[in-house]
Amino acid sequence: MKIAFTTSGNDMNAPLDTRFGRAPKFLVYDLDRETFEVIDNAQNLNAAQGAGIQSAETVARLGAKAVVSGHCGPKAFRVLTAAGIRVFNADSGTVGEALEQYRAGKLVEAGVADVEGHWA
Amino acid sequence: MTPEIDKPAKTVAVASGKGGTGKTTVSLNLAKVFGSDVQLLDCDVEEPNDHLFLDGRPEQQEIVAIKVPDVDDTLCDGCGECGRFCEYSAIVSFGAKAIVFPEMCHGCGGCMMVCPKKAISEVDRRIGVVETIQSGEITLIQGRLDVGVAMAPPLIREVKSRLRGGIPAILDAPPGTSCPVIATLRGTDFVVLVTEPTPFGLHDLELAVEMVREIGIPFGVVVNRVGIGDDRVREFCAMENIPILLEIPDDRRIAEAYSRGKLIVDALPEYTGLFKSLIGKIM
């Protein structure tokens, strides 16, 4: 199974980014192979609108089944849910630390979007 | 898609980069001293306020809606064509059924056209109203965007589609240089850019000039509150060969009249000639 982490860095020691839609990059970790790839999200970072929706679509296309990020807005949450992707909120720390927390079952799964949208 | 203006005698848009420079003041006073039938369009649909300065009640109110997609889940196979087409991420699908975000939709109808399964139809989504108010020789047509709606351009186009041919029109634009302003300016014959002689006024005037040049409409500048700030707006206009059509002095009595909902030319008749001279130059 693959998990997408939001980050501004390129490896497991990079800090987790608290934004989902406008995260600079996604680090997609493959739990089965214990490998990861980093995908640039600059296009959505700079989008005028729809960043959350586009980012959710990106993550879904990458085959991730879970997202670990700081916050997730209502539109992104709706798309992620429709794609069967679970959303976990993590406060801070590095991607590696968030992964350990996930493995230990310490991350809280978000039942709803935890921040307001910008348009509604 | 864009309704063409049914060519009135002449249409003049009053715009500005910076907010609060006096677009409404200039638009209303021009309309008031025009001297014959004139149409005044309040295109600042997020906060229309021209009506506050005119007598007369709305004679007509029409609801404006845009078409947004409605997906038939039994026909959608999640191919994703709609999402790939949509510039605004208002519809998205990837293997799963399409999801619609009506508040993001600009109503272009493209998703419906590209859907291979014909699973998309259109439903109305209300965005606001257009109201018409008759006040003496002025016919005010104003758009009023519903609270919570972020889609001004379609409503502005609806306001403009109600222009009647043969009667001159003054279009009071929203501030800034983004889509709602472009929607207002497009198709007009002349643009008046209102600014103030301050660094902020100059900065935003430069942006507005760039915008109007890009659209390719003749324009000139009105400097409001002359006496404050510095001389750099004048220097900029001289350097760029932009005509300064009118200078309105920084007169406290103008602000006082405005705050009571009175027009300059009504409260301070000595300014009537100033606005008439502007009409002579542009209309």
Side-chain angles (χ1 to χ4, degrees):
Chain A
M1 180 182 131
K2 289 180 181 175
I3 308 177
F5 296 87
T6 52
T7 183
S8 50
N10 294 308
D11 55 42
M12 302 305 288
N13 294 321
L16 191 76
D17 198 286
T18 56
R19 299 163 296 177
F20 174 71
R22 294 184 190 275
K25 292 171 187 177
F26 295 115
L27 186 151
V28 180
Y29 191 87
D30 190 326
L31 285 175
D32 306 320
R33 296 181 186 169
E34 303 212 341
T35 56
F36 66 86
E37 55 177 334
V38 176
I39 287 87
D40 191 73
N41 194 41
Q43 195 188 336
N44 292 326
L45 174 61
N46 297 319
Q49 60 179 51
I53 298 169
Q54 288 290 325
S55 291
E57 196 178 344
T58 301
V59 167
R61 287 192 194 286
L62 291 168
K65 288 293 163 205
V67 162
V68 179
S69 184
H71 304 288
C72 181
K75 295 195 188 72
F77 194 86
R78 218 178 120 196
V79 176
L80 291 170
T81 307
I85 299 169
R86 299 168 72 187
V87 180
F88 295 90
N89 294 133
D91 287 340
S92 56
T94 65
V95 171
E97 286 164 5
L99 176 61
E100 288 318 306
Q101 286 180 307
Y102 174 84
R103 281 186 163 138
K106 286 181 181 165
L107 289 184
V108 181
E109 185 168 357
V112 291
D114 74 326
V115 286
E116 292 274 318
H118 302 295
W119 294 85
Chain B
M1 227 16 233
T2 312
E4 283 297 308
I5 291 178
D6 180 15
K7 224 46 180 170
K10 183 142 193 180
T11 55
V12 171
V14 181
S16 75
K18 188 180 174 301
T21 54
K23 289 177 296 301
T24 296
T25 298
V26 170
S27 303
L28 279 162
N29 284 285
L30 281 184
K32 190 72 181 185
V33 302
F34 196 77
S36 58
D37 284 347
V38 63
Q39 304 177 87
L40 175 62
L41 272 62
D42 198 340
C43 295
D44 193 359
V45 299
E46 288 181 71
E47 44 203 346
N49 60 353
D50 287 1
H51 68 99
L52 297 174
F53 297 85
L54 298 172
D55 301 328
R57 295 204 176 147
E59 292 176 357
Q60 212 186 332
Q61 189 185 68
E62 294 164 84
I63 291 168
V64 175
I66 61 168
K67 300 284 184 193
V68 300
D70 184 44
V71 181
D72 184 341
D73 284 347
T74 61
L75 295 176
C76 174
D77 64 356
C79 71
E81 282 296 324
C82 53
R84 275 190 289 282
F85 181 84
C86 185
E87 184 77 9
Y88 303 100
S89 303
I91 188 165
V92 59
S93 109
F94 37 88
K97 303 295 180 197
I99 306 171
V100 178
F101 294 92
E103 67 273 35
M104 313 283 282
C105 177
H106 286 53
C108 77
C111 57
M112 189 174 70
M113 291 170 73
V114 300
C115 177
K117 295 287 176 188
K118 305 280 173 235
I120 302 175
S121 56
E122 290 180 322
V123 290
D124 279 347
R125 174 172 187 260
R126 183 190 148 131
I127 58 167
V129 294
V130 175
E131 293 163 329
T132 308
I133 296 165
Q134 191 66 43
S135 176
E137 289 172 327
I138 301 172
T139 305
L140 172 67
I141 307 169
Q142 69 176 10
R144 194 190 288 272
L145 200 64
D146 284 350
V147 172
V149 175
M151 209 63 66
L155 183 54
I156 292 169
R157 288 193 286 269
E158 282 296 319
V159 171
K160 289 173 71 176
S161 74
R162 281 157 181 77
L163 270 176
R164 290 209 314 274
I167 304 170
I170 297 162
L171 280 66
D172 187 5
T177 53
S178 63
C179 298
V181 184
I182 309 288
T184 304
L185 267 46
R186 200 161 263 165
T188 59
D189 302 313
F190 192 87
V191 177
V192 173
L193 293 176
V194 186
T195 189
E196 58 181 32
T198 63
F200 298 114
L202 175 61
H203 176 270
D204 291 356
L205 174 65
E206 289 177 13
L207 295 175
V209 165
E210 213 177 307
M211 168 188 68
V212 181
R213 281 184 174 153
E214 179 80 31
I215 313 176
I217 306 174
F219 67 100
V221 166
V222 167
V223 190
N224 192 10
R225 302 191 63 199
V226 169
I228 61 165
D230 55 38
D231 240 6
R232 285 190 285 168
V233 164
R234 223 176 265 168
E235 288 162 15
F236 169 75
C237 288
M239 205 171 67
E240 293 284 325
N241 233 344
I242 300 166
I244 294 182
L245 306 163
L246 177 67
E247 293 187 316
I248 306 169
D250 181 41
D251 183 341
R252 186 186 165 89
R253 295 175 304 159
I254 292 176
E256 285 170 0
Y258 190 91
S259 71
R260 289 194 304 268
K262 294 257 183 275
L263 299 180
I264 300 176
V265 294
D266 288 338
L268 307 163
E270 64 265 40
Y271 283 112
T272 305
L274 213 58
F275 287 100
K276 278 195 168 156
S277 75
L278 178 55
I279 289 172
K281 285 176 190 165
I282 61 175
M283 298 186 85

